[in-house]
Amino acid sequence: MGLTGWRLVSLIGAALLGGYALASAVGIFLAAILPASKSDAVLLGNLVSFAVYVAAIMWVCAVRKPLRAWCVLLITALILAGLCQAKGVNVLASVGL
């Protein structure tokens, strides 16, 4: 069973969109919990989010199962978003929605 058609499109979507969701959630979460000044925490959160985005893309390419890739990326992002909400950070406002 090769990577053709919808499986390939779904994996690319998971890598790009799911990876972006996870990277954004990690950046916002780190900015909320790091015990540095607000500007330093946001800067470090953004820097780490780039590495998380690249790691998520590489991980999706290694998994080769679209459903597992989507589930892991989105569930992890939702857990981090929930932790931010519990801390009092409005996640939707942080990403511009």
Side-chain angles (χ1 to χ4, degrees):
M1 184 162 39
L3 286 178
T4 58
W6 288 109
R7 288 187 71 221
L8 182 61
V9 171
S10 183
L11 279 174
I12 292 171
L16 296 178
L17 300 175
Y20 179 76
L22 179 63
S24 295
V26 166
I28 294 167
F29 179 72
L30 287 177
I33 66 162
L34 288 175
S37 68
K38 195 64 173 171
S39 60
D40 288 342
V42 169
L43 179 65
L44 185 60
N46 281 330
L47 289 174
V48 171
S49 73
F50 288 118
V52 169
Y53 190 44
V54 171
I57 291 172
M58 292 189 316
W59 178 77
V60 168
C61 293
V63 169
R64 301 175 60 100
K65 293 181 182 177
L67 183 62
R68 181 173 183 214
W70 276 108
C71 288
V72 168
L73 291 174
L74 293 181
I75 289 172
T76 307
L78 287 173
I79 289 171
L80 288 172
L83 290 172
C84 287
Q85 290 288 84
K87 186 148 176 66
V89 176
N90 188 353
V91 177
L92 294 178
S94 297
V95 293
L97 295 176

